[in-house]
Amino acid sequence: MSRDGHVLKSPHGEIRIEGDALAALVISATERVDGARARRPRRGLDVSVANGAVQVELELAAGYGSVLPELARAVQESVTEALRIAAGLTVERVDVSIEELDA
């Protein structure tokens, strides 16, 4: 499991966004999608940052009755938007694995 941080440099100095903060953004964005929950956020989440671009691997629990491909796509879009807007990152990919169903 990797949780890389991200550094923004400007003429005024540096801003470092730690890996745990990026992971919290991913979890929050995931759980904003109705019927989705980050499964085992400490072990089932990988956030890798290189050269201002991020790749995410995320294990999901889905609510019973959800259309799984639609739910996964909605999570991908939510996570992408959160990382782009809040952290200024280019999102290369958000890989989602649906691991369980919640009743």
Side-chain angles (χ1 to χ4, degrees), residues 19-101:
D20 285 341
L22 294 175
L25 273 173
V26 170
I27 292 166
S28 178
T30 297
E31 294 180 352
R32 278 194 302 250
V33 175
D34 189 38
R37 174 177 63 82
R39 182 177 180 261
R40 300 181 323 165
R42 292 192 184 266
R43 294 184 298 176
L45 173 60
D46 185 63
V47 180
S48 301
V49 181
N51 300 319
V54 63
Q55 295 183 6
V56 176
E57 293 179 28
L58 173 64
E59 291 181 3
L60 282 184
Y64 181 79
S66 298
V67 178
L68 301 180
E70 290 176 12
L71 179 75
R73 282 187 201 100
V75 168
Q76 289 173 321
E77 290 170 8
S78 182
V79 168
T80 297
E81 184 175 332
L83 289 170
R84 183 180 55 80
I85 291 171
L89 288 164
T90 300
V91 179
E92 288 184 349
R93 61 187 309 126
V94 177
D95 294 328
V96 174
S97 174
I98 299 171
E99 299 287 331
E100 70 182 61
L101 293 176

Side-chain angles (χ1 to χ4, degrees), residues 9-23:
K9 296 181 181 186
S10 77
H12 304 290
E14 292 184 351
I15 299 169
R16 178 161 178 80
I17 304 171
E18 296 295 337
D20 285 341
L22 294 175

